[in-house]
Amino acid sequence: MSRGFVKEDDQEETPIIPPRAALPDGVTNYVTNHGLIQLKEELSTLDHTISTLDETNERERRRALAVLNGKRNLLLKRIQSARLLDHIKDEGEIRFGATVTYTIAGMPKPITIQIVGVDEASVKDKKIAFTAPIARALIGKKVDETTTFQLGNEEKKLTIKNIAYVD
């Protein structure tokens, strides 16, 4: 149909669906057991939101459903591509799932982080995605080993103080 016969008010903008956390092309979507549970809980919450959507304006309802269904599709793809890495017990070396305490040369306090999947990562919870530069600098290292990490224009020396694998 020609645009000349369509009222301006009938034109709906395509809703913007926020992307999930970045997972580089070709990188396996590793998740911890906790991360997989979080993804499944997110799906359950999203399904509940979709089924109980209370929007009386039909246009707004279609728009909201388009966004929610788009988020659901992205989430389903993540769950389907998830590869569970659970109960890794190589306590001598930093691997996916490790909780790592390290120091940065010149800084007074040690830092503790856990290396997790991209969807589970949360700076607030001190969980860092395995794809993050700091995680890549730490993976494969052992206690008392020192490595370097490029932070902007500066190169920082990190010393591993502790490695733990917590269920």
Side-chain angles (χ1 to χ4, degrees), residues 99-119:
T99 298
V100 182
T101 302
Y102 62 92
T103 57
I104 300 175
M107 303 291 255
K109 291 184 178 179
I111 298 167
T112 301
I113 61 164
Q114 183 182 14
I115 300 172
V116 297
V118 295
D119 291 294

Side-chain angles (χ1 to χ4, degrees), residues 31-146:
V31 295
T32 64
N33 189 48
H34 184 259
L36 187 57
I37 290 168
Q38 281 183 317
L39 289 171
K40 289 178 179 179
E41 286 173 351
E42 183 182 347
L43 179 61
S44 178
T45 300
L46 203 50
D47 284 343
H48 178 73
T49 302
I50 290 169
S51 68
T52 60
L53 186 62
D54 186 25
E55 180 59 61
T56 55
N57 180 309
E58 187 57 33
R59 184 178 188 176
E60 290 303 314
R61 180 176 175 74
R62 280 193 311 269
R63 185 177 183 78
L65 280 173
V67 170
L68 291 169
N69 284 320
K71 285 181 177 181
R72 186 178 189 280
N73 290 338
L74 291 174
L75 178 57
L76 281 172
K77 286 179 186 174
R78 272 299 163 85
I79 291 171
Q80 291 167 352
S81 71
R83 179 162 174 222
L84 181 63
L85 285 183
D86 197 20
H87 300 297
I88 298 171
K89 297 295 180 191
D90 185 1
E91 295 183 20
E93 194 172 292
I94 300 171
R95 296 280 175 223
F96 180 86
T99 298
V100 182
T101 302
Y102 62 92
T103 57
I104 300 175
M107 303 291 255
K109 291 184 178 179
I111 298 167
T112 301
I113 61 164
Q114 183 182 14
I115 300 172
V116 297
V118 295
D119 291 294
E120 189 179 356
S122 165
V123 173
K124 180 184 89 171
D125 296 329
K126 298 181 182 176
K127 294 184 174 193
I128 307 299
F130 71 97
T131 56
I134 187 77
R136 290 192 313 238
L138 294 170
I139 289 176
K141 304 301 183 270
K142 299 177 182 195
V143 173
D144 294 328
E145 194 170 340
T146 299

